Amino acid sequence: KYPREAARSGIEGRVFIQFVVTKEGNVRDEKVLRDIGGGCGDAALEAIKGVKFTPGKKDGVAVNVQYSMPVTFKLENG
């Protein structure tokens, strides 16, 4: 969901987040690396918390993997 404050202020851009995908495919240790304001960083973290990932594997064994990901916020015109 686009944050209300960001939409009212016309804030667009990319938020960069970092997180760990556990051996079970869950997200943990999530944090915002770069925020654009207006609540976008918090919205990106909330969105990623609800995602179930396929865990990374090393030598056929599931392992924890750290990711950095951009989340783009763009308002629809009209």
Side-chain angles (χ1 to χ4, degrees):
K1 271 190 168 179
Y2 213 97
R4 257 189 210 160
E5 183 182 338
R8 274 196 303 259
S9 302
I11 296 173
E12 295 182 328
R14 280 195 184 133
V15 171
F16 289 86
I17 58 174
Q18 186 178 68
F19 55 94
V20 172
V21 175
T22 66
K23 298 175 197 178
E24 296 80 28
N26 299 316
V27 174
R28 74 162 200 226
D29 301 336
E30 60 278 350
K31 64 181 175 181
V32 177
L33 298 177
R34 189 173 70 169
D35 199 353
I36 56 174
C40 291
D42 292 334
L45 290 179
E46 280 301 312
I48 204 68
K49 284 179 188 177
V51 177
K52 181 78 169 180
F53 288 90
T54 302
K57 290 189 176 187
K58 181 175 182 180
D59 299 325
V61 178
V63 295
N64 294 340
V65 180
Q66 181 174 297
Y67 287 98
S68 295
M69 176 185 289
V71 179
T72 303
F73 288 87
K74 179 140 178 71
L75 291 166
E76 292 181 9
N77 296 328

